[in-house]
Amino acid sequence: MFEGMTRLGDADPRRLGPYRLHGVLGSGALGTVYAGRGTPGRGGRRRSVAVRALRPELLRDRSLRARLRHVTRTLADEVASPYVAGALDCELDGERPWLAGELVPGTALATLVARYGPLPEPGLRAVGGAVARALAALHAAGVPHGDLRAANVLLTSDTPRVVDHALGTVVGDRGSDDGTVEPTAADLFDLGALLCHAAGARPSPRGPASAARAAPDVAAVPEALRPALLACLRAAPGARPEAHELARLLDPAGRAEREATEWLPEAYLDEIVLRAQDVRESRGRRFLGR
């Protein structure tokens, strides 16, 4: 997601709701993500935000808009975790629907693995523990993630953060073909697949999160971590551990709570610092009119 910020194009909005936009962070099937800032006097606090301009055709169904609005409010009011990017607000009924959340100055785990190779065991434990704790906080509020993958885990200089949870739950939901797989159990399968990817396995193909979905190869996973990941990947959804149990299995020493310099490879850290600096500098140039 945050691979550096580019300038706004002629067709890009300059404001969405109370947020003044100053750059493009990325784009995808659901819409373009902008970096923005709350504007005093217009209902927004002066804080950095990520604002996704949603494609209007995705929200034609009134019940879907109501569900996304409810999930966003639940995330904002009930989920307080250092491992979850905070949701702020949304406007879904206008010509330009948008969804705003906390701007995380990090780099996607998928990008770092692709560029610099797999994480060693300490990093896998820290990332796994952080993401499991993020899922525990989401599930306690009744909100499954719905689209957990390495592209939706951002690594920062302090801690991993999970993003795009509201969209995964509502717009990008990947329930089973017959609707029988509990979404929270699907999240646990996806966490197992995500960590296998971070350990060096090929990414799992995205598709229905059914019990019959093929599990990734765990051969690249350090032996001490295999039991926990195999538990996530069990064919029977009900046999998978709860997120809070998995956090203890993956990260009993609490590495996720320590500075990233203790468990991330140097190349990862250098990239994270560089990308965060790019975002800060681009934001500064925008507000200085350059």
Side-chain angles (χ1 to χ4, degrees):
M1 192 176 182
F2 299 98
E3 306 307 315
M5 188 162 61
T6 60
R7 290 178 178 272
L8 295 171
D10 293 339
D12 290 313
R14 265 48 186 177
R15 188 185 300 277
L16 285 172
Y19 304 108
R20 181 183 177 188
L21 309 181
H22 53 77
V24 179
L25 292 169
S27 61
L30 300 178
T32 301
V33 183
Y34 298 97
R37 197 163 175 82
T39 306
R42 294 184 61 89
R45 291 182 293 168
R46 184 176 287 279
R47 63 182 300 176
S48 296
V49 295
V51 188
R52 187 185 293 272
L54 295 167
R55 289 167 46 200
E57 62 269 25
L58 296 174
L59 301 173
R60 288 174 180 163
D61 188 314
R62 181 179 298 179
S63 64
L64 190 149
R65 294 198 302 274
R67 184 181 171 199
L68 182 54
R69 192 177 294 110
H70 171 73
V71 168
T72 301
R73 187 177 302 115
T74 299
L75 289 166
D77 294 343
E78 299 182 23
V79 178
S81 168
Y83 310 112
V84 177
L88 297 176
D89 53 10
C90 61
E91 173 51 61
L92 306 176
D93 295 320
E95 293 183 1
R96 281 185 163 170
W98 53 268
L99 183 73
E102 178 185 2
L103 176 61
V104 179
T107 305
L109 174 62
T111 298
L112 293 167
V113 171
R115 290 180 181 173
Y116 304 111
L119 277 172
E121 183 175 338
L124 291 170
R125 287 192 176 278
V127 170
V131 176
R133 292 179 178 97
L135 290 180
L138 292 170
H139 294 174
V143 179
H145 188 286
D147 191 23
L148 186 63
R149 49 198 169 99
N152 287 337
V153 175
L154 302 184
L155 301 190
T156 73
S157 57
D158 52 7
T159 191
R161 308 289 287 281
V162 173
V163 301
D164 277 2
H165 23 71
L167 288 172
T169 299
V170 181
V171 180
D173 184 44
R174 295 184 307 106
S176 66
D177 293 331
D178 60 5
T180 60
V181 175
E182 169 63 37
T184 55
D187 280 348
L188 272 297
F189 185 101
D190 287 343
L191 175 52
L194 178 157
L195 291 176
C196 288
H197 175 192
R202 294 183 61 183
S204 299
R206 307 303 292 172
S210 65
R213 190 152 65 95
D217 185 4
V218 299
V221 176
E223 187 173 354
L225 282 173
R226 289 180 194 173
L229 297 197
L230 288 171
C232 292
L233 301 171
R234 287 170 180 156
R240 297 168 195 162
E242 297 288 338
H244 64 89
E245 297 171 337
L246 186 62
R248 290 195 296 269
L249 290 172
L250 289 171
D251 188 25
R255 284 184 174 87
E257 300 174 4
R258 304 175 190 171
E259 289 292 326
T261 52
E262 295 189 24
W263 47 265
L264 271 182
E266 185 175 353
Y268 276 51
L269 289 166
D270 290 344
E271 179 83 3
I272 289 166
V273 170
L274 178 63
R275 295 308 171 195
Q277 182 178 343
D278 285 347
V279 171
R280 286 193 297 269
E281 291 180 352
S282 297
R283 184 178 63 202
R285 286 195 297 269
R286 172 66 180 88
F287 283 109
L288 290 173
R290 289 184 278 174

